[in-house]
Amino acid sequence: MPPSSALRSAYPWTKTPLVASAPMLNIASALLAVSVSAAGGLGFLAGGFDVSNLEDNLKEAVQLIKQSNLTLQQTHTSTGILPIGVGFLNWGADLTKSIAAIEKYRPCAVWLFGPKVIPDDLRPWAEQVRNVTDSSTKIWVQVGTVSEAICVTEALDADVLVIQGSDAGGHGLVHSASIITLLPEVKDALAARRLKHDIPLIGAGGIVDGRGMAASLALGASGVAMGTRFLASTEATIARGYQDEVLRASDGGVSTVRSTVYDRVRGILSWPVRYDGQGGTSDEENRALYEEELKKGDSGWGQTGRLTTYAGTGVGLVKETLPAGTIVSNTIQEAKNILQHIVDV
């Protein structure tokens, strides 16, 4: 089955090409995830590394789906599968609690990212998710190198690979390439090894509109995942100051920097050493200063603030806040228009 057809078969409410919203920690709420799926995309809820609220968030998603469009309601009612996914940070998420919630609510996909050891730390996740859902919950694995892609494909038989390039916001590998080279090299490497040549590849990193989607499709992707663009959505759980800074920033290649400062000031110290975070530039401050800045509220962000804004290098292309559904529709339509123009030329 062609990769795009495999996605459509697994997620029948979605439009082609697929737009997924990234499971951004503390931002990708049930409302954002359901809104993306309702527009024909695939929304991911942030499970993160602390899954103590996961069941409550999934319960909220169920209620939102009951209030959503008929397509999502029928999908959930007829299959028992929740038409949103959940993303986990595997270096910290509790497997037992996560599996219990997955078994109960049956999200359509789990997005695995950030294991301390690849592929060993991911094996029990893939095996147990498939076991408790009869493989109805698909396994997405985020990778940032060719060797990671080969490794998890061989070891886990992943259903989807998220190919994250170095332009991505949030956390990524300290050493990685842009998807301009990474995505086609992964595709070629899997084909050369006869490894599941039909596996869908999802481009991620620096994609914020239909132009980025069209480029990703040309490179061999079957869809895209966007995080930074959905920071400027009306459904994102985000401080106004944070969102305003996303809209203000420009020239993303120089206004963002890879750093672990934000993790340290928040006391999040368990990320594997091969990962760092990308966000707006900020002086390194100790935790006391950071906590003082938090008391300022929205004014803690911005050019004179100390609070870090996680965002990818595509942040300079994000100029307005829109409903998540509009972002999905605009991205797909723009990509189709571009590709059609290229064919016509």
Side-chain angles (χ1 to χ4, degrees):
M1 183 182 296
S4 58
S5 298
L7 289 174
R8 192 75 171 80
S9 176
Y11 316 114
W13 68 90
T14 60
K15 298 177 181 177
T16 301
L18 180 68
V19 173
S21 58
M24 298 174 287
L25 187 63
N26 299 324
I27 292 172
S29 63
L31 178 60
L32 176 56
V34 172
S35 297
V36 170
S37 289
L42 203 172
F44 276 86
L45 174 70
F49 59 86
D50 178 0
V51 297
S52 56
N53 294 322
L54 177 58
E55 183 165 352
D56 289 341
N57 291 333
L58 287 168
K59 186 183 301 183
E60 181 185 357
V62 171
Q63 294 305 311
L64 290 170
I65 287 167
K66 290 179 179 178
Q67 303 163 22
S68 187
N69 61 48
L70 190 59
T71 299
L72 279 196
Q73 292 180 36
Q74 289 179 337
T75 296
H76 187 224
T77 301
S78 63
T79 66
I81 298 171
L82 200 60
I84 65 167
V86 182
F88 295 97
L89 296 175
N90 297 106
W91 54 260
D94 184 284
L95 176 59
T96 301
K97 292 180 180 178
S98 300
I99 292 299
I102 290 167
E103 181 176 18
K104 183 175 180 179
Y105 291 94
R106 301 173 77 87
C108 67
V110 296
W111 177 324
L112 307 179
F113 173 54
K116 292 181 179 179
V117 180
I118 294 178
D120 293 351
D121 289 352
L122 296 178
R123 279 198 180 96
W125 283 83
E127 291 172 357
Q128 293 190 44
V129 166
R130 285 170 170 151
N131 182 53
V132 300
T133 67
D134 296 322
S135 296
S136 61
T137 296
K138 305 304 180 185
I139 306 298
W140 290 40
V141 182
Q142 179 178 322
V143 297
T145 67
V146 177
S147 60
E148 281 189 350
I150 294 170
C151 178
V152 301
T153 303
E154 288 180 329
L156 306 178
D157 193 26
D159 297 297
V160 176
L161 292 181
V162 180
I163 312 300
Q164 187 200 54
S166 56
D167 288 322
H171 287 79
L173 293 174
V174 175
H175 302 292
S176 61
S178 163
I179 60 169
I180 292 292
T181 57
L182 179 60
L183 210 159
E185 188 176 356
V186 166
K187 194 172 186 69
D188 289 352
L190 295 178
R193 290 165 175 77
R194 301 177 185 272
L195 289 173
K196 210 174 181 182
H197 67 279
D198 58 344
I199 186 172
L201 305 181
I202 302 296
I207 303 165
V208 297
D209 57 21
R211 293 172 292 182
M213 173 178 248
S216 298
L217 296 175
L219 294 167
S222 298
V224 298
M226 300 193 299
T228 298
R229 183 62 190 93
F230 285 107
L231 292 174
S233 66
T234 55
E235 296 88 347
T237 304
I238 185 173
R240 178 63 182 273
Y242 189 156
Q243 195 171 72
D244 286 347
E245 185 63 7
V246 169
L247 298 175
R248 182 202 66 80
S250 62
D251 206 354
V254 297
S255 61
T256 61
V257 64
R258 287 283 181 189
S259 175
T260 58
V261 170
Y262 198 26
D263 290 326
R264 297 201 299 274
V265 297
R266 293 187 300 164
I268 301 174
L269 306 176
S270 298
W271 272 97
V273 294
R274 65 180 179 278
Y275 298 103
D276 60 13
Q278 180 148 298
T281 55
S282 174
D283 291 336
E284 183 171 350
E285 303 292 337
N286 61 36
R287 189 177 301 188
L289 287 175
Y290 178 78
E291 290 174 351
E292 284 299 313
E293 200 75 1
L294 282 172
K295 297 175 183 178
K296 297 180 181 179
D298 290 335
S299 64
W301 281 274
Q303 292 174 289
T304 60
R306 299 179 192 268
L307 299 183
T308 300
T309 307
Y310 275 130
T313 61
V315 67
L317 296 171
V318 180
K319 296 302 182 186
E320 61 179 335
T321 300
L322 294 170
T326 302
I327 293 171
V328 172
S329 299
N330 287 354
T331 300
I332 294 173
Q333 190 58 55
E334 184 181 18
K336 287 183 175 180
N337 291 343
I338 291 170
L339 293 172
Q340 183 61 53
H341 175 71
I342 292 172
V343 171
D344 289 343
V345 171

mmCIF file of all heavy atoms in Angstrom, residues 27 169-170 228 231 238-239 241-249 255-257 262 277-282 290 298 300-303 305-312 315:
data_model
loop_
_atom_site.group_PDB
_atom_site.id
_atom_site.type_symbol
_atom_site.label_atom_id
_atom_site.label_comp_id
_atom_site.label_asym_id
_atom_site.label_seq_id
_atom_site.Cartn_x
_atom_site.Cartn_y
_atom_site.Cartn_z
ATOM 1 N N ILE A 27 1.342 22.626 25.949
ATOM 2 C CA ILE A 27 0.654 23.481 24.979
ATOM 3 C C ILE A 27 -0.368 22.701 24.166
ATOM 4 O O ILE A 27 -1.455 23.200 23.868
ATOM 5 C CB ILE A 27 1.680 24.166 24.059
ATOM 6 C CG1 ILE A 27 2.500 25.176 24.866
ATOM 7 C CG2 ILE A 27 0.998 24.841 22.863
ATOM 8 C CD1 ILE A 27 3.663 25.781 24.115
ATOM 9 N N GLY A 169 11.658 23.430 16.456
ATOM 10 C CA GLY A 169 11.682 24.049 17.770
ATOM 11 C C GLY A 169 11.657 22.988 18.856
ATOM 12 O O GLY A 169 11.610 21.791 18.585
ATOM 13 N N GLY A 170 11.661 23.437 20.097
ATOM 14 C CA GLY A 170 11.647 22.487 21.197
ATOM 15 C C GLY A 170 12.923 21.673 21.238
ATOM 16 O O GLY A 170 13.999 22.152 20.905
ATOM 17 N N THR A 228 5.547 24.857 15.779
ATOM 18 C CA THR A 228 5.635 26.311 15.902
ATOM 19 C C THR A 228 4.399 27.015 15.343
ATOM 20 O O THR A 228 3.892 27.962 15.940
ATOM 21 C CB THR A 228 6.898 26.825 15.194
ATOM 22 O OG1 THR A 228 8.054 26.260 15.836
ATOM 23 C CG2 THR A 228 6.998 28.339 15.265
ATOM 24 N N LEU A 231 1.593 27.137 17.728
ATOM 25 C CA LEU A 231 1.736 28.029 18.881
ATOM 26 C C LEU A 231 0.849 29.256 18.701
ATOM 27 O O LEU A 231 0.343 29.816 19.675
ATOM 28 C CB LEU A 231 3.193 28.473 19.047
ATOM 29 C CG LEU A 231 4.216 27.416 19.457
ATOM 30 C CD1 LEU A 231 5.616 28.001 19.423
ATOM 31 C CD2 LEU A 231 3.894 26.863 20.841
ATOM 32 N N ILE A 238 -1.331 28.554 25.844
ATOM 33 C CA ILE A 238 -0.096 29.324 25.771
ATOM 34 C C ILE A 238 -0.317 30.711 26.362
ATOM 35 O O ILE A 238 -1.391 31.308 26.185
ATOM 36 C CB ILE A 238 0.378 29.424 24.294
ATOM 37 C CG1 ILE A 238 1.739 30.110 24.185
ATOM 38 C CG2 ILE A 238 -0.661 30.101 23.419
ATOM 39 C CD1 ILE A 238 2.315 30.063 22.769
ATOM 40 N N ALA A 239 0.661 31.218 27.074
ATOM 41 C CA ALA A 239 0.565 32.558 27.638
ATOM 42 C C ALA A 239 0.533 33.599 26.523
ATOM 43 O O ALA A 239 1.162 33.427 25.468
ATOM 44 C CB ALA A 239 1.753 32.825 28.561
ATOM 45 N N GLY A 241 1.921 36.475 26.392
ATOM 46 C CA GLY A 241 3.249 37.013 26.127
ATOM 47 C C GLY A 241 4.081 36.095 25.255
ATOM 48 O O GLY A 241 4.827 36.551 24.372
ATOM 49 N N TYR A 242 3.965 34.797 25.480
ATOM 50 C CA TYR A 242 4.668 33.795 24.682
ATOM 51 C C TYR A 242 4.181 33.867 23.232
ATOM 52 O O TYR A 242 4.976 33.945 22.283
ATOM 53 C CB TYR A 242 4.368 32.419 25.288
ATOM 54 C CG TYR A 242 5.145 31.232 24.761
ATOM 55 C CD1 TYR A 242 5.303 30.096 25.564
ATOM 56 C CD2 TYR A 242 5.705 31.205 23.495
ATOM 57 C CE1 TYR A 242 5.984 28.978 25.107
ATOM 58 C CE2 TYR A 242 6.383 30.089 23.021
ATOM 59 C CZ TYR A 242 6.518 28.978 23.833
ATOM 60 O OH TYR A 242 7.187 27.880 23.364
ATOM 61 N N GLN A 243 2.864 33.873 23.050
ATOM 62 C CA GLN A 243 2.302 33.895 21.708
ATOM 63 C C GLN A 243 2.659 35.188 20.969
ATOM 64 O O GLN A 243 2.990 35.169 19.776
ATOM 65 C CB GLN A 243 0.788 33.723 21.771
ATOM 66 C CG GLN A 243 0.160 33.382 20.436
ATOM 67 C CD GLN A 243 -1.295 33.005 20.591
ATOM 68 O OE1 GLN A 243 -2.137 33.871 20.866
ATOM 69 N NE2 GLN A 243 -1.610 31.724 20.414
ATOM 70 N N ASP A 244 2.617 36.310 21.678
ATOM 71 C CA ASP A 244 2.979 37.583 21.062
ATOM 72 C C ASP A 244 4.420 37.576 20.575
ATOM 73 O O ASP A 244 4.751 38.146 19.529
ATOM 74 C CB ASP A 244 2.789 38.733 22.051
ATOM 75 C CG ASP A 244 1.315 39.074 22.275
ATOM 76 O OD1 ASP A 244 0.478 38.603 21.492
ATOM 77 O OD2 ASP A 244 1.021 39.815 23.237
ATOM 78 N N GLU A 245 5.299 36.914 21.327
ATOM 79 C CA GLU A 245 6.704 36.856 20.937
ATOM 80 C C GLU A 245 6.896 35.988 19.697
ATOM 81 O O GLU A 245 7.734 36.283 18.841
ATOM 82 C CB GLU A 245 7.544 36.321 22.101
ATOM 83 C CG GLU A 245 9.046 36.316 21.862
ATOM 84 C CD GLU A 245 9.632 37.707 21.665
ATOM 85 O OE1 GLU A 245 8.917 38.713 21.834
ATOM 86 O OE2 GLU A 245 10.826 37.797 21.307
ATOM 87 N N VAL A 246 6.101 34.919 19.580
ATOM 88 C CA VAL A 246 6.138 34.096 18.376
ATOM 89 C C VAL A 246 5.751 34.930 17.160
ATOM 90 O O VAL A 246 6.377 34.846 16.095
ATOM 91 C CB VAL A 246 5.188 32.885 18.522
ATOM 92 C CG1 VAL A 246 5.011 32.160 17.189
ATOM 93 C CG2 VAL A 246 5.734 31.914 19.566
ATOM 94 N N LEU A 247 4.751 35.773 17.312
ATOM 95 C CA LEU A 247 4.307 36.619 16.206
ATOM 96 C C LEU A 247 5.300 37.739 15.904
ATOM 97 O O LEU A 247 5.419 38.178 14.760
ATOM 98 C CB LEU A 247 2.933 37.221 16.525
ATOM 99 C CG LEU A 247 1.788 36.231 16.723
ATOM 100 C CD1 LEU A 247 0.523 36.952 17.138
ATOM 101 C CD2 LEU A 247 1.541 35.421 15.455
ATOM 102 N N ARG A 248 6.000 38.221 16.915
ATOM 103 C CA ARG A 248 6.944 39.323 16.729
ATOM 104 C C ARG A 248 8.248 38.889 16.077
ATOM 105 O O ARG A 248 8.821 39.614 15.253
ATOM 106 C CB ARG A 248 7.272 39.973 18.086
ATOM 107 C CG ARG A 248 8.218 41.182 17.972
ATOM 108 C CD ARG A 248 8.941 41.454 19.277
ATOM 109 N NE ARG A 248 9.851 40.363 19.622
ATOM 110 C CZ ARG A 248 11.061 40.209 19.084
ATOM 111 N NH1 ARG A 248 11.501 41.031 18.145
ATOM 112 N NH2 ARG A 248 11.827 39.208 19.467
ATOM 113 N N ALA A 249 8.728 37.702 16.427
ATOM 114 C CA ALA A 249 10.066 37.265 16.011
ATOM 115 C C ALA A 249 10.190 37.178 14.493
ATOM 116 O O ALA A 249 9.238 36.874 13.780
ATOM 117 C CB ALA A 249 10.382 35.908 16.632
ATOM 118 N N SER A 255 17.386 34.400 15.321
ATOM 119 C CA SER A 255 16.641 34.772 16.521
ATOM 120 C C SER A 255 16.322 33.567 17.396
ATOM 121 O O SER A 255 15.680 33.705 18.432
ATOM 122 C CB SER A 255 15.344 35.503 16.150
ATOM 123 O OG SER A 255 14.506 34.680 15.369
ATOM 124 N N THR A 256 16.759 32.370 16.980
ATOM 125 C CA THR A 256 16.635 31.172 17.815
ATOM 126 C C THR A 256 18.011 30.567 18.028
ATOM 127 O O THR A 256 18.935 30.798 17.235
ATOM 128 C CB THR A 256 15.715 30.115 17.172
ATOM 129 O OG1 THR A 256 16.257 29.702 15.912
ATOM 130 C CG2 THR A 256 14.319 30.677 16.954
ATOM 131 N N VAL A 257 18.131 29.800 19.085
ATOM 132 C CA VAL A 257 19.424 29.196 19.415
ATOM 133 C C VAL A 257 19.192 27.872 20.119
ATOM 134 O O VAL A 257 18.210 27.703 20.845
ATOM 135 C CB VAL A 257 20.261 30.139 20.319
ATOM 136 C CG1 VAL A 257 19.579 30.350 21.663
ATOM 137 C CG2 VAL A 257 21.678 29.618 20.513
ATOM 138 N N TYR A 262 16.861 26.577 29.335
ATOM 139 C CA TYR A 262 15.477 26.570 29.791
ATOM 140 C C TYR A 262 15.187 25.335 30.629
ATOM 141 O O TYR A 262 14.448 25.400 31.618
ATOM 142 C CB TYR A 262 14.564 26.630 28.571
ATOM 143 C CG TYR A 262 13.141 27.056 28.853
ATOM 144 C CD1 TYR A 262 12.819 27.849 29.949
ATOM 145 C CD2 TYR A 262 12.107 26.673 28.003
ATOM 146 C CE1 TYR A 262 11.526 28.250 30.201
ATOM 147 C CE2 TYR A 262 10.796 27.064 28.241
ATOM 148 C CZ TYR A 262 10.512 27.848 29.343
ATOM 149 O OH TYR A 262 9.218 28.229 29.572
ATOM 150 N N GLY A 277 17.432 21.999 23.295
ATOM 151 C CA GLY A 277 16.200 22.691 22.935
ATOM 152 C C GLY A 277 16.482 23.903 22.092
ATOM 153 O O GLY A 277 17.534 24.537 22.228
ATOM 154 N N GLN A 278 15.543 24.255 21.222
ATOM 155 C CA GLN A 278 15.701 25.452 20.399
ATOM 156 C C GLN A 278 14.599 26.427 20.731
ATOM 157 O O GLN A 278 13.429 26.093 20.744
ATOM 158 C CB GLN A 278 15.636 25.122 18.907
ATOM 159 C CG GLN A 278 15.806 26.353 18.002
ATOM 160 C CD GLN A 278 16.500 26.016 16.708
ATOM 161 O OE1 GLN A 278 17.650 25.583 16.715
ATOM 162 N NE2 GLN A 278 15.820 26.219 15.610
ATOM 163 N N GLY A 279 15.008 27.667 21.027
ATOM 164 C CA GLY A 279 14.025 28.691 21.339
ATOM 165 C C GLY A 279 14.633 30.055 21.225
ATOM 166 O O GLY A 279 15.770 30.212 20.785
ATOM 167 N N GLY A 280 13.879 31.071 21.627
ATOM 168 C CA GLY A 280 14.365 32.437 21.531
ATOM 169 C C GLY A 280 15.560 32.660 22.431
ATOM 170 O O GLY A 280 15.670 32.089 23.515
ATOM 171 N N THR A 281 16.479 33.539 22.042
ATOM 172 C CA THR A 281 17.704 33.761 22.791
ATOM 173 C C THR A 281 17.398 34.404 24.139
ATOM 174 O O THR A 281 16.510 35.231 24.282
ATOM 175 C CB THR A 281 18.671 34.667 22.003
ATOM 176 O OG1 THR A 281 17.982 35.879 21.680
ATOM 177 C CG2 THR A 281 19.118 33.984 20.738
ATOM 178 N N SER A 282 18.156 34.056 25.143
ATOM 179 C CA SER A 282 17.971 34.585 26.488
ATOM 180 C C SER A 282 19.268 34.393 27.260
ATOM 181 O O SER A 282 19.958 33.403 27.090
ATOM 182 C CB SER A 282 16.838 33.840 27.199
ATOM 183 O OG SER A 282 16.732 34.252 28.544
ATOM 184 N N TYR A 290 14.859 33.363 37.256
ATOM 185 C CA TYR A 290 13.814 32.857 36.358
ATOM 186 C C TYR A 290 12.457 32.894 37.052
ATOM 187 O O TYR A 290 11.453 33.321 36.466
ATOM 188 C CB TYR A 290 14.157 31.435 35.928
ATOM 189 C CG TYR A 290 13.124 30.804 35.036
ATOM 190 C CD1 TYR A 290 13.056 31.125 33.685
ATOM 191 C CD2 TYR A 290 12.211 29.883 35.545
ATOM 192 C CE1 TYR A 290 12.095 30.545 32.862
ATOM 193 C CE2 TYR A 290 11.256 29.305 34.737
ATOM 194 C CZ TYR A 290 11.205 29.637 33.397
ATOM 195 O OH TYR A 290 10.255 29.077 32.590
ATOM 196 N N ASP A 298 2.870 38.100 31.373
ATOM 197 C CA ASP A 298 3.154 38.236 29.947
ATOM 198 C C ASP A 298 4.373 39.097 29.649
ATOM 199 O O ASP A 298 5.060 38.891 28.658
ATOM 200 C CB ASP A 298 1.941 38.837 29.217
ATOM 201 C CG ASP A 298 0.769 37.865 29.154
ATOM 202 O OD1 ASP A 298 1.015 36.646 29.217
ATOM 203 O OD2 ASP A 298 -0.379 38.321 29.055
ATOM 204 N N GLY A 300 7.110 38.963 30.981
ATOM 205 C CA GLY A 300 8.340 38.190 31.158
ATOM 206 C C GLY A 300 8.910 37.678 29.855
ATOM 207 O O GLY A 300 10.056 37.241 29.800
ATOM 208 N N TRP A 301 8.087 37.705 28.785
ATOM 209 C CA TRP A 301 8.569 37.329 27.465
ATOM 210 C C TRP A 301 8.939 38.576 26.672
ATOM 211 O O TRP A 301 8.660 39.697 27.086
ATOM 212 C CB TRP A 301 7.500 36.542 26.705
ATOM 213 C CG TRP A 301 7.396 35.110 27.094
ATOM 214 C CD1 TRP A 301 8.121 34.069 26.617
ATOM 215 C CD2 TRP A 301 6.498 34.544 28.059
ATOM 216 N NE1 TRP A 301 7.739 32.891 27.219
ATOM 217 C CE2 TRP A 301 6.749 33.146 28.103
ATOM 218 C CE3 TRP A 301 5.505 35.063 28.892
ATOM 219 C CZ2 TRP A 301 6.055 32.289 28.935
ATOM 220 C CZ3 TRP A 301 4.806 34.221 29.720
ATOM 221 C CH2 TRP A 301 5.085 32.833 29.735
ATOM 222 N N GLY A 302 9.570 38.387 25.553
ATOM 223 C CA GLY A 302 9.873 39.515 24.675
ATOM 224 C C GLY A 302 11.328 39.899 24.697
ATOM 225 O O GLY A 302 12.176 39.253 25.326
ATOM 226 N N GLN A 303 11.636 40.993 24.026
ATOM 227 C CA GLN A 303 13.022 41.409 23.842
ATOM 228 C C GLN A 303 13.715 41.778 25.139
ATOM 229 O O GLN A 303 14.928 41.643 25.269
ATOM 230 C CB GLN A 303 13.065 42.591 22.870
ATOM 231 C CG GLN A 303 12.664 42.211 21.447
ATOM 232 C CD GLN A 303 12.565 43.414 20.550
ATOM 233 O OE1 GLN A 303 11.662 44.219 20.663
ATOM 234 N NE2 GLN A 303 13.522 43.539 19.645
ATOM 235 N N GLY A 305 12.587 40.528 28.163
ATOM 236 C CA GLY A 305 12.264 39.505 29.156
ATOM 237 C C GLY A 305 13.318 38.418 29.226
ATOM 238 O O GLY A 305 14.204 38.312 28.377
ATOM 239 N N ARG A 306 13.205 37.582 30.242
ATOM 240 C CA ARG A 306 14.149 36.488 30.437
ATOM 241 C C ARG A 306 13.545 35.128 30.106
ATOM 242 O O ARG A 306 14.244 34.132 30.067
ATOM 243 C CB ARG A 306 14.643 36.451 31.891
ATOM 244 C CG ARG A 306 15.371 37.690 32.373
ATOM 245 C CD ARG A 306 15.765 37.506 33.834
ATOM 246 N NE ARG A 306 16.212 38.748 34.437
ATOM 247 C CZ ARG A 306 17.475 39.150 34.470
ATOM 248 N NH1 ARG A 306 18.402 38.390 33.930
ATOM 249 N NH2 ARG A 306 17.801 40.283 35.040
ATOM 250 N N LEU A 307 12.225 35.069 29.927
ATOM 251 C CA LEU A 307 11.573 33.786 29.695
ATOM 252 C C LEU A 307 11.819 33.311 28.270
ATOM 253 O O LEU A 307 11.660 34.070 27.316
ATOM 254 C CB LEU A 307 10.071 33.889 29.961
ATOM 255 C CG LEU A 307 9.688 34.286 31.392
ATOM 256 C CD1 LEU A 307 8.174 34.275 31.546
ATOM 257 C CD2 LEU A 307 10.331 33.352 32.415
ATOM 258 N N THR A 308 12.197 32.063 28.150
ATOM 259 C CA THR A 308 12.529 31.501 26.844
ATOM 260 C C THR A 308 11.268 31.086 26.097
ATOM 261 O O THR A 308 10.322 30.564 26.676
ATOM 262 C CB THR A 308 13.443 30.268 27.013
ATOM 263 O OG1 THR A 308 14.626 30.685 27.673
ATOM 264 C CG2 THR A 308 13.804 29.677 25.662
ATOM 265 N N THR A 309 11.281 31.313 24.792
ATOM 266 C CA THR A 309 10.171 30.962 23.922
ATOM 267 C C THR A 309 10.617 29.841 23.004
ATOM 268 O O THR A 309 11.406 30.069 22.084
ATOM 269 C CB THR A 309 9.753 32.178 23.070
ATOM 270 O OG1 THR A 309 9.506 33.288 23.933
ATOM 271 C CG2 THR A 309 8.508 31.869 22.264
ATOM 272 N N TYR A 310 10.144 28.626 23.235
ATOM 273 C CA TYR A 310 10.486 27.533 22.333
ATOM 274 C C TYR A 310 9.818 27.781 20.985
ATOM 275 O O TYR A 310 8.611 28.008 20.899
ATOM 276 C CB TYR A 310 9.998 26.195 22.886
ATOM 277 C CG TYR A 310 10.948 25.548 23.864
ATOM 278 C CD1 TYR A 310 10.497 25.085 25.099
ATOM 279 C CD2 TYR A 310 12.292 25.388 23.542
ATOM 280 C CE1 TYR A 310 11.368 24.478 25.995
ATOM 281 C CE2 TYR A 310 13.164 24.785 24.428
ATOM 282 C CZ TYR A 310 12.696 24.331 25.653
ATOM 283 O OH TYR A 310 13.558 23.730 26.540
ATOM 284 N N ALA A 311 10.612 27.737 19.935
ATOM 285 C CA ALA A 311 10.090 27.907 18.576
ATOM 286 C C ALA A 311 11.153 27.461 17.594
ATOM 287 O O ALA A 311 12.354 27.537 17.873
ATOM 288 C CB ALA A 311 9.714 29.364 18.311
ATOM 289 N N GLY A 312 10.706 26.995 16.423
ATOM 290 C CA GLY A 312 11.637 26.595 15.380
ATOM 291 C C GLY A 312 12.050 27.777 14.524
ATOM 292 O O GLY A 312 11.560 28.908 14.690
ATOM 293 N N VAL A 315 9.736 30.435 12.734
ATOM 294 C CA VAL A 315 8.954 31.389 13.513
ATOM 295 C C VAL A 315 8.775 32.716 12.786
ATOM 296 O O VAL A 315 7.754 33.398 12.948
ATOM 297 C CB VAL A 315 9.598 31.601 14.906
ATOM 298 C CG1 VAL A 315 10.948 32.301 14.795
ATOM 299 C CG2 VAL A 315 8.647 32.333 15.844
#
